[in-house]
Amino acid sequence: MKKPSPLHLEDLPAGPPKGTKLCNLADLPEHGGKEIIFREDRFRVSVLVQQKDSFIKVYDNRCPHAGTPLNMFDENFLNIEGTLLICRTHGALFDHKSGKCILGPCKGEYLREVAVDITETAIFTR
């Protein structure tokens, strides 16, 4: 399957405008994961930020198989070994850098990357 084009959050209902700060890099927890939610009326947008080995990616927090958020109860998006992103609903595993599912019912599909600009201190929507 072809990797989808980056998602611009301002194109979604409840999505923030271009240039919105998603988070400060210093606010990322030790395991590097953070969920950011935007709400407007009945609409909701959830994104996940994952920093691993000084490499940062932001994805739409939605499994391509079931449409459910990757996390269920917390902001830890990595498997027990801390090597891959995991969907807690059914255990699909995703490469952190590419978003490609390497194991599970959506094998070969991709998480949708969010278009962002990353500075030395923060992440902003593009």
Side-chain angles (χ1 to χ4, degrees):
M1 171 170 254
K2 184 180 172 187
K3 186 174 182 175
S5 60
L7 177 64
H8 292 267
L9 294 181
E10 66 182 1
D11 294 339
L12 300 175
K18 179 180 177 176
T20 299
K21 185 185 338 182
L22 294 178
C23 68
N24 291 314
L25 298 181
D27 294 339
L28 292 174
E30 187 174 318
H31 56 72
K34 186 165 188 65
E35 180 180 29
I36 300 161
I37 299 172
F38 297 95
R39 288 187 172 92
E40 185 178 309
D41 299 323
R42 65 182 175 26
F43 299 105
R44 178 181 187 270
V45 174
S46 172
V47 299
L48 72 92
V49 176
Q50 184 65 52
Q51 178 175 296
K52 181 176 173 351
D53 303 327
S54 301
F55 192 85
I56 299 169
K57 279 294 200 171
V58 181
Y59 294 107
D60 183 17
N61 188 14
R62 182 187 320 235
C63 178
H65 171 246
T68 57
L70 268 64
N71 59 326
M72 291 175 88
F73 307 111
D74 61 16
E75 294 183 311
N76 191 344
F77 296 94
L78 297 175
N79 63 351
I80 195 86
E81 296 83 10
T83 56
L84 299 166
L85 295 169
I86 186 169
C87 175
R88 304 282 180 199
T89 302
H90 51 48
L93 296 172
F94 300 86
D95 177 73
H96 163 257
K97 292 182 179 179
S98 69
K100 186 174 185 177
C101 181
I102 59 169
L103 185 67
C106 51
K107 186 174 181 179
E109 294 184 53
Y110 289 84
L111 297 172
R112 184 94 185 259
E113 188 174 345
V114 174
V116 296
D117 291 315
I118 302 173
T119 67
E120 290 183 19
T121 59
I123 303 171
F124 299 87
T125 59
R126 181 175 344 136

